[in-house]
Amino acid sequence: MKSARHIVSILILFGSFAVMAADEATELSISSDSIVTASEDSLTKFEISGSLDTKCSVIKSQKSSSLYRLQNFGQPTVSDELSQFLLEPYLNGDYVTKNIGFHVKTHSTYISEQTSTSELLELNGSVNAMPTLTFTAGKKAYAWGKGYAFNPVGYVNPTKDSENPELAQAGLTSLAVDYTKSFESSALSTLGLTFILIPSNKIQNRYGELSQTDLSGKAYFLVNDIDVDLMAYNSATVGNHLGFDFSNNILTNLEVHGEFSQFTNAPKTTIDQNTLSIQNKDGNSYLLGLRYLDSSDTTVILEYYHNGNGLASDEFKQYLQYVDAVLAGGQSAAIQTALSTSKNYFQKSALMRDYLYLKVSKPEPFNWVYFTPSLYVLHNLNDQSFSVGIPMSYKPFTNFEFILWPSFLVGSASTQFGDKMLTQRLETWLRYSF
Amino acid sequence: MPLGTFKIGGYMKKSVFVLALIIGINFPIDSSALETANELLKRVDSKLMPESYEAYRRLINEEPNGKKKEYTFFTLKKGTDKVALLYLAPASEKGRSTLRLGENMWLFIPNVNKPVRITSLQSVVGGVFNNADIMAVEYSAEYDAEYDSETSKERILNLKAKNKTVTYDKLKMWITKNGEYLRKVECYGSSGVLIKTLEFKDDKNFGGGIFRPSVIETHSPLYKDYRSTIIYEKIRAKKIQPEAFTLPFMGRLKEFQ
């Protein structure tokens, strides 16, 4: 709960700052009517918003899976069907004027007094030195790339959950400069340049290695109605990356997008003879996708992703064999190491090499207003395992959303989705926004 | 030449002169009659929207059972075909923004944190209005007009889309006889089917020389018994930085409020 207290402190500090800013505006010239407006204006420019997700889940565990046994080693035996009741408050504060902006976004989870966490998703301030030039410092979530479920050029993005790509994620501590210029030309309409400096995130005694400071840059062009980005990332720890993306409506109801990334000296983590092995690799990753809207208002998103630094089927099997070997050994220290290895290196939803993602959503079927059912499939093409979900959203009242979300993980033993800790999950969400 | 004929001719000349005088007094020659349909359309556009402006609007979707959902938008418009829109309410949608540059449209959702291309026929808010209606650009930017006919109070124009990327293939437009105010627009698809009807009501003086309908009501045979209404609360001519209409600024529109 210590982190929760920190977050509340930040919000109080943030609120105080906004009130001080408002007071300052009033003090500037009390005699003028327009200054009263300025004070009111400053107060209205400070906003607290957020949402509370109340989630109730029922899961069917898969006790035979290596990951279930690793996660629950030494724990009392429980039944196959488990439930969870979870509160997830999101609290945001924003203060925005023409020239400056401050933003804080927080996320907490509460299951019980003993099991609750809080995290700072974003905390940053920005200054517009010129209308076209902005400096930003702090923790900020970037979202590079045009893909919906995957982003091979998302060098500065938080790790995406491909099964729920719209989930808010924690940002990156960084310093950024943005320059944007609009042109009247029909060929080049917009130019955007972004440079980001990312300090080392390996902190020891409150300091990181200066040589592990990363640099990144992106150039955006809207040229002949096509969105194009060129990006680069230079790092002593995660290698050098060069990439581009594009997006265009080739028909009024059909959008196509793609991303390509070339990497050198990018670390790849595998298990070799039951030990962790990290080797630097060169290669490329890419994504091709489309978004189609049919005459009945049904939206289809289809994406193919090749992850050049992902695991091959054999490499994934070696990882599971390592977990099985450690469990068979029964040594507590080795099991803790395996647990840590699993969490740090093998938990990504796009862990392997080739994936296909399909999502179909249809708002208000059968004239049932404010109801939107969707179906998604995340298919691992390397081991033929897949994850299927059917989120159904209903918004009967303003600021209130109800989501029923059954999902299934399907695959044979020793496959990515077939060897998960659970096979089925039914979630219900009640979301209230304010 | 018979004299009588001359006399009759003189009488006729007098009659024509008197008639012309009467017509001249009671039905002044309308200079706008000389303007082409496209010029009239541009005049309607200029009355509806200043070249560059900001506006606060409410959108109300009403279901057949009377249940209502309401949204509030802050809108920026520049030139003939640039519109940016920021959702102010309800809280669940707050911070979303949409951008239209000609026929290109994008949606920005704060959690997703990046613009995604959307199409004009989609409706981000549900109801009868689609994205093209909510982010309407100047009619003359998208359509060529010709005169159709007129009633006692209105002129009727037929509008044909300049290209296939425009949302509606044809429009039929009712304009007051003085060419000042739009009253009704019927929107047709390429098959000739009526998709929806927009009615422009409640003329209001917004100040700064802006006097226009403050309410746009729409209904559609495709959404029987549903009704959507846009209410203009404030409109103000404003010089807007062109970068407001770019993708990098979609998450920063609040800076322009």
Side-chain angles (χ1 to χ4, degrees):
Chain A
M1 291 302 282
K2 197 177 171 186
S3 51
R5 280 203 299 275
H6 285 156
I7 282 172
V8 170
S9 306
I10 288 165
L11 282 169
I12 290 169
L13 197 69
F14 196 76
S16 309
F17 169 78
V19 172
M20 278 165 60
D23 288 345
E24 194 181 322
T26 313
E27 283 165 13
L28 284 173
S29 57
I30 296 163
S31 58
S32 165
D33 286 347
S34 64
I35 297 307
V36 176
T37 309
S39 169
E40 287 166 358
D41 199 35
S42 297
L43 277 173
T44 57
K45 286 179 185 300
F46 172 65
E47 289 178 346
I48 285 190
S49 61
S51 61
L52 174 65
D53 290 357
T54 305
K55 296 181 181 175
C56 185
S57 311
V58 178
I59 62 166
K60 186 168 172 53
S61 308
Q62 185 173 212
K63 288 181 172 174
S64 59
S65 85
S66 306
L67 297 181
Y68 181 95
R69 289 183 291 127
L70 179 66
Q71 187 74 37
N72 293 283
F73 183 81
Q75 306 273 343
T77 306
V78 291
S79 68
D80 288 352
E81 283 87 26
L82 301 173
S83 69
Q84 184 185 67
F85 190 82
L86 177 73
L87 299 176
E88 281 191 87
Y90 290 84
L91 268 178
N92 310 322
D94 298 279
Y95 179 79
V96 179
T97 69
K98 190 178 174 187
N99 295 319
I100 61 166
F102 282 92
H103 305 276
V104 56
K105 289 186 179 181
T106 69
H107 168 234
S108 306
T109 57
Y110 177 89
I111 298 173
S112 69
E113 289 299 328
Q114 292 73 37
T115 318
S116 60
T117 58
S118 288
E119 61 179 330
L120 199 56
L121 299 179
E122 293 193 57
L123 175 63
N124 62 70
S126 60
V127 175
N128 298 335
M130 291 192 294
T132 52
L133 186 67
T134 303
F135 295 88
T136 306
K139 193 173 187 184
K140 180 177 162 65
Y142 299 93
W144 287 8
K146 303 298 182 198
Y148 178 74
F150 319 95
N151 293 112
V153 296
Y155 309 136
V156 289
N157 298 5
T159 304
K160 198 173 230 177
D161 179 356
S162 301
E163 290 162 88
N164 188 4
E166 296 184 14
L167 197 66
Q169 304 271 32
L172 191 67
T173 304
S174 58
L175 297 168
V177 185
D178 287 286
Y179 174 78
T180 306
K181 183 72 185 161
S182 178
F183 302 97
E184 283 306 316
S185 153
S186 57
L188 176 63
S189 317
T190 311
L191 167 69
L193 299 173
T194 304
F195 297 98
I196 305 174
L197 186 144
I198 304 136
S200 170
N201 62 0
K202 289 179 182 163
I203 308 295
Q204 195 173 342
N205 294 328
R206 304 175 69 178
Y207 292 93
E209 290 283 349
L210 181 63
S211 61
Q212 291 182 0
T213 303
D214 295 353
L215 288 171
S216 190
K218 179 165 80 86
Y220 162 72
F221 309 92
L222 176 57
V223 54
N224 288 326
D225 290 341
I226 304 171
D227 294 312
V228 180
D229 293 285
L230 306 176
M231 45 278 277
Y233 192 92
N234 175 269
S235 170
T237 51
V238 296
N240 297 323
H241 303 252
L242 274 174
F244 71 89
D245 68 25
F246 68 90
S247 170
N248 182 235
N249 275 90
I250 56 171
L251 297 172
T252 51
N253 60 345
L254 178 63
E255 179 265 359
V256 293
H257 56 263
E259 299 181 21
F260 180 84
S261 174
Q262 179 81 39
F263 56 85
T264 51
N265 287 323
K268 176 175 177 175
T269 308
T270 54
I271 299 295
D272 185 20
Q273 296 178 342
N274 286 344
T275 54
L276 186 68
S277 163
I278 301 177
Q279 290 182 313
N280 288 341
K281 299 278 183 184
D282 300 344
N284 57 61
S285 299
Y286 51 86
L287 171 135
L288 276 173
L290 61 85
R291 188 184 289 253
Y292 174 73
L293 176 77
D294 81 353
S295 55
S296 69
D297 209 20
T298 302
T299 300
V300 177
I301 299 171
L302 182 64
E303 290 182 344
Y304 166 71
Y305 172 45
H306 173 72
N307 176 11
N309 222 10
L311 299 181
S313 294
D314 288 348
E315 289 168 332
F316 184 73
K317 281 178 182 163
Q318 282 169 15
Y319 155 63
L320 291 180
Q321 283 164 6
Y322 156 70
V323 172
D324 288 339
V326 168
L327 287 167
Q331 290 182 346
S332 163
I335 287 167
Q336 281 307 313
T337 305
L339 194 56
S340 165
T341 300
S342 176
K343 280 182 179 167
N344 291 334
Y345 300 106
F346 297 96
Q347 292 288 304
K348 285 192 293 186
S349 56
L351 181 66
M352 294 174 69
R353 282 194 184 160
D354 299 285
Y355 292 89
L356 200 62
Y357 178 86
L358 172 72
K359 183 177 182 182
V360 182
S361 57
K362 162 80 179 154
E364 303 181 352
F366 318 112
N367 289 328
W368 185 358
V369 288
Y370 308 129
F371 173 62
T372 304
S374 307
L375 166 79
Y376 70 81
V377 181
L378 176 61
H379 185 189
N380 182 330
L381 296 172
N382 301 121
D383 64 15
Q384 302 304 325
S385 64
F386 54 91
S387 165
V388 186
I390 312 164
M392 289 170 276
S393 159
Y394 183 48
K395 299 177 180 176
F397 312 110
T398 300
N399 295 328
F400 177 84
E401 183 176 12
F402 173 74
I403 300 172
L404 184 68
W405 189 334
S407 56
F408 308 89
L409 300 169
V410 183
S412 54
S414 302
T415 60
Q416 184 188 3
F417 296 111
D419 208 87
K420 291 276 188 187
M421 288 171 56
L422 53 97
T423 55
Q424 296 169 35
R425 177 168 48 205
L426 178 65
E427 283 185 292
T428 53
W429 298 22
L430 294 175
R431 172 173 289 168
Y432 174 72
S433 303
F434 59 92
Chain B
M1 168 118 6
L3 190 66
T5 309
F6 175 73
K7 278 182 181 170
I8 292 168
Y11 177 75
M12 278 186 74
K13 274 186 180 173
K14 270 186 188 172
S15 302
V16 168
F17 177 74
V18 171
L19 193 66
L21 210 64
I22 292 167
I23 291 169
I25 291 164
N26 293 313
F27 303 98
I29 295 166
D30 186 356
S31 61
S32 66
L34 300 172
E35 74 183 341
T36 65
N38 280 324
E39 285 166 347
L40 174 59
L41 188 62
K42 279 188 180 170
R43 199 146 63 90
V44 169
D45 278 333
S46 68
K47 291 295 289 183
L48 273 179
M49 310 178 189
E51 194 273 337
S52 180
Y53 75 82
E54 65 169 27
Y56 288 85
R57 298 183 292 168
R58 282 190 297 138
L59 186 151
I60 302 162
N61 285 333
E62 194 173 338
E63 295 171 36
N65 61 9
K67 204 168 163 185
K68 290 180 181 175
K69 270 204 164 185
E70 190 171 321
Y71 302 84
T72 308
F73 306 125
F74 170 65
T75 309
L76 296 170
K77 181 252 176 189
K78 190 181 176 75
T80 56
D81 63 352
K82 292 178 183 169
V83 180
L85 191 147
L86 173 68
Y87 288 63
L88 302 178
S92 56
E93 315 295 321
K94 195 172 179 173
R96 285 184 176 217
S97 65
T98 49
L99 173 68
R100 178 173 185 182
L101 301 176
E103 292 310 312
N104 295 289
M105 293 186 193
W106 295 265
L107 166 69
F108 175 90
I109 300 172
N111 270 3
V112 178
N113 206 16
K114 67 178 174 187
V116 174
R117 279 184 180 256
I118 52 174
T119 71
S120 56
L121 280 168
Q122 265 178 303
S123 180
V124 172
V125 292
V128 188
F129 283 119
N130 61 33
N131 296 333
D133 301 324
I134 296 166
M135 293 190 285
V137 296
E138 294 188 5
Y139 288 107
S140 55
E142 297 189 298
Y143 295 94
D144 287 319
E146 20 177 85
Y147 284 111
D148 178 287
S149 56
E150 57 182 53
T151 66
S152 59
K153 290 181 179 174
E154 289 144 348
R155 289 180 182 173
I156 303 169
L157 294 184
N158 283 324
L159 274 59
K160 176 87 182 117
K162 287 180 176 173
N163 58 60
K164 286 187 175 177
T165 60
V166 176
T167 313
Y168 306 111
D169 194 51
K170 286 176 191 164
L171 302 180
K172 196 165 188 176
M173 182 179 274
W174 280 255
I175 303 161
T176 54
K177 276 238 165 126
N178 60 5
E180 299 279 290
Y181 304 112
L182 192 53
R183 284 289 163 255
K184 190 166 86 168
V185 175
E186 287 180 349
C187 310
Y188 294 89
S190 54
S191 59
V193 173
L194 175 65
I195 296 174
K196 71 181 63 156
T197 303
L198 308 172
E199 289 181 40
F200 295 73
K201 299 175 174 177
D202 299 350
D203 298 337
K204 182 176 165 183
N205 187 355
F206 289 93
I210 303 171
F211 194 94
R212 57 155 289 162
S214 62
V215 174
I216 306 172
E217 208 171 87
T218 186
H219 48 89
S220 165
L222 307 177
Y223 295 85
K224 214 177 168 195
D225 300 325
Y226 287 87
R227 197 168 55 158
S228 293
T229 308
I230 288 177
I231 301 166
Y232 281 77
E233 301 285 358
K234 286 184 196 170
I235 311 178
R236 187 164 69 99
K238 184 181 181 181
K239 200 172 177 182
I240 304 164
Q241 172 191 341
E243 284 70 33
F245 304 92
T246 61
L247 266 61
F249 272 71
M250 284 189 76
R252 299 172 50 182
L253 287 178
K254 201 168 162 46
E255 293 173 18
F256 296 89
Q257 267 191 285

